[in-house]
Amino acid sequence: MPHNIAVLGSTGSIGTQTLDIISQFPDRFRAVVLAAGSNVDMLIEQARKHRPALAVIADESKYGRLKEALDPLGIETAAGDEALADAMERPDFDTVVTATVGYSGLLPTIRAIRAGKQIALANKETLVVAGELVTRLLRESSSTVIPVDSEHSAIYQCLKGEDTETVKKLIITASGGPFRTWTREETARVTAAQALNHPRWHMGAKITIDSATMLNKAFEIIEARWLFDVAPEKIEAVVHPQSIVHSMVEYVDGAVKAQLGIPDMHLPIRYALGDATRLPSEERPLSLSDYAQLTFEKPDPEKFPCLTLASYALTKGGNAACIVNAANEVAVAAFLKGKISFPGIYDTITDALGHIPYIASPSLDDYVATHHATIEYAASKCRG
Ligand code: NDP
Ligand code: MG
């Protein structure tokens, strides 16, 4: 019997790579739900190929086109955020790959957790926005999470078979992004095109900009804190420009375990879909002799101030990381449109942190309200 899968964000970078893997293992995996934001043409094409039971488009204005194309194939269709979240409760799949971008992943992931689904978690923002609440819901549910983010997949693999009490440190590697060697003055003038040109990974636009500011690494520290239930002071980032060592775990006896591989998201996606087992790969294998050297250096928080937001948000707790995430979503979109400068992204986030009321123990409604209030505030500051 194939493993039935819902792909949330099927038209994106992670979503399309997930469908590659589903196609590679037709006896093992079947896409039962495909959901996208607004790229209706790609969604229709994917549905024609994968024949899911349901295709959902978040953008309701595209619904007519989706329905017209898929009705003749007997594929159910739906539109809107609510329909997308409702789809998480369908009984005809057991695993969901959460590959939408930003805050849009939160509510569907919570619904999937409540429905006891297995989660292949790509959408790190879910744990950034509401990590405490989400991990509490996970403890109360039969749902389990296997990370897709390459660093967290590496740590998950390094922790397998180990006693978590013996973990001394999680070491998250970072490529350093396109501006690793630039001065602070130079990065003040970078354009969107320069920031979108990541040296190692081809990803969606938002995470590519987050990698350039290194806020992505701050998000990954927050993600690791919740995923692995490790105290924030035991998590550190190290810059490793070749992106071959995907992350490491140091143990109390001094041993450090690492997972290595070429920079290709197919591996962590395949590992998560295969229930943390090893399925054969069609990608080029890692050949260490192709690399003259693997280097490691300390990150520079003076040059990349967004990095400091991880310890700030984790120390403060409550809705602080939710504010960081929402302000960043607005700031990244504004930077991509040329409305604010590259350093303006950090400034927008700190401005919002100083303005939006802090809530120490937020409920789900508080997170939702914080998100929307921050979006509104940050948008008023980024009008340009
Ligand atoms: P992309 O921008 O490439 O894709 C995003 C996907 O989400 C698209 O399918 C898009 O649909 C969909 N989407 C956007 N907005 C909404 C919405 N409001 N409701 C429903 N669906 C929506 O992003 P990535 O694939 O790069 O990233 C996805 C997630 O995975 C992010 O959280 C990112 O941090 C994480 N991640 C990504 C990695 C990568 O290598 N790309 C690595 C590690 C983590 P459409 O295009 O149709 O509008
Ligand atoms: Mg990552």
Side-chain angles (χ1 to χ4, degrees):
M1 272 290 283
H3 200 47
N4 288 337
I5 296 169
V7 187
L8 201 54
S10 62
T11 51
S13 162
I14 295 289
T16 50
Q17 293 180 83
T18 301
L19 291 177
D20 289 346
I21 291 162
I22 291 175
S23 301
Q24 277 167 22
F25 297 95
D27 298 336
R28 196 180 270 268
F29 303 127
R30 189 170 161 251
V32 167
V33 176
L34 297 180
S38 62
N39 189 346
V40 71
D41 290 334
M42 191 188 285
L43 181 62
I44 291 168
E45 196 187 306
Q46 291 177 335
R48 284 192 177 127
K49 179 169 176 201
H50 289 270
R51 301 296 170 117
L54 171 71
V56 190
I57 188 101
D59 179 347
E60 295 182 39
S61 71
K62 307 281 173 66
Y63 180 59
R65 204 168 135 52
L66 184 71
K67 185 172 162 53
E68 190 191 350
L70 300 186
D71 265 0
L73 302 178
I75 297 173
E76 211 183 311
T77 50
D81 296 338
E82 198 53 40
L84 197 146
D86 288 347
M88 297 299 96
E89 289 169 5
R90 287 171 69 99
D92 55 359
F93 69 89
D94 37 44
T95 298
V96 53
V97 181
T98 65
T100 68
V101 59
Y103 173 85
S104 70
L106 177 68
L107 297 177
T109 306
I110 287 180
R111 294 282 288 277
I113 292 171
R114 289 191 167 134
K117 304 295 184 189
Q118 181 159 317
I119 319 255
L121 185 100
N123 181 265
K124 64 190 84 185
E125 292 92 342
T126 291
L127 288 175
V128 171
V129 171
E132 190 169 17
L133 173 80
V134 169
T135 43
R136 190 167 68 240
L137 293 174
L138 275 168
R139 280 195 298 275
E140 292 164 1
S141 142
S142 59
S143 176
T144 51
V145 171
I146 302 183
V148 166
D149 211 348
S150 58
E151 296 77 3
H152 303 74
S153 176
I155 291 169
Y156 190 99
Q157 293 175 58
C158 294
L159 287 171
K160 216 172 177 191
E162 300 284 355
D163 176 358
T164 49
E165 295 289 312
T166 63
V167 171
K168 195 166 170 196
K169 214 192 282 171
L170 305 183
I171 304 161
I172 300 185
T173 52
S175 71
F179 309 128
R180 180 176 62 89
T181 56
W182 293 34
T183 64
R184 214 180 157 149
E185 294 68 40
E186 285 167 339
T187 51
R189 291 188 298 273
V190 305
T191 63
Q194 288 169 319
L196 284 170
N197 189 18
H198 195 279
R200 298 280 168 223
W201 298 94
H202 299 287
M203 310 176 285
K206 193 251 182 193
I207 183 176
T208 304
I209 302 302
D210 291 349
S211 299
T213 59
M214 291 195 78
L215 183 62
N216 182 52
K217 222 32 68 176
F219 280 178
E220 291 183 352
I221 290 173
I222 298 172
E223 183 185 7
R225 186 262 172 276
W226 296 115
L227 266 179
F228 304 114
D229 193 19
V230 166
E233 59 276 13
K234 288 182 162 183
I235 309 171
E236 71 177 41
V238 61
V239 173
H240 166 48
Q242 298 81 17
S243 299
I244 295 297
V245 175
H246 295 308
S247 277
M248 298 173 258
V249 180
E250 182 183 328
Y251 291 91
V252 288
D253 63 352
V256 177
K257 281 171 84 176
Q259 185 256 326
L260 282 70
I262 55 163
D264 185 328
M265 290 304 295
H266 287 93
L267 191 154
I269 298 169
R270 194 168 42 236
Y271 185 78
L273 286 188
D275 262 343
T277 59
R278 305 217 177 267
L279 302 176
S281 149
E282 290 182 355
E283 291 95 51
R284 155 179 83 84
L286 172 64
S287 167
L288 276 176
S289 52
D290 291 349
Y291 296 84
Q293 50 183 350
L294 298 182
T295 59
F296 301 89
E297 63 200 42
K298 278 195 189 324
D300 181 351
E302 298 252 313
K303 218 153 76 176
F304 297 102
C306 283
L307 259 180
T308 62
L309 292 168
S311 65
Y312 173 84
L314 285 173
T315 307
K316 188 121 188 165
N319 62 345
C322 175
I323 298 170
V324 172
N325 178 71
N328 179 59
E329 287 189 16
V330 172
V332 167
F335 169 70
L336 287 172
K337 287 189 190 135
K339 289 187 174 170
I340 63 170
S341 69
F342 188 69
I345 297 176
Y346 175 74
D347 296 341
T348 303
I349 297 169
T350 49
D351 184 352
L353 280 168
H355 180 85
I356 302 295
Y358 171 70
I359 303 172
S361 299
S363 63
L364 179 55
D365 286 347
D366 290 330
Y367 283 119
V368 173
T370 297
H371 174 80
H372 291 295
T374 309
I375 293 281
E376 200 176 312
Y377 178 74
S380 74
K381 294 285 167 176
C382 290
R383 261 189 201 116

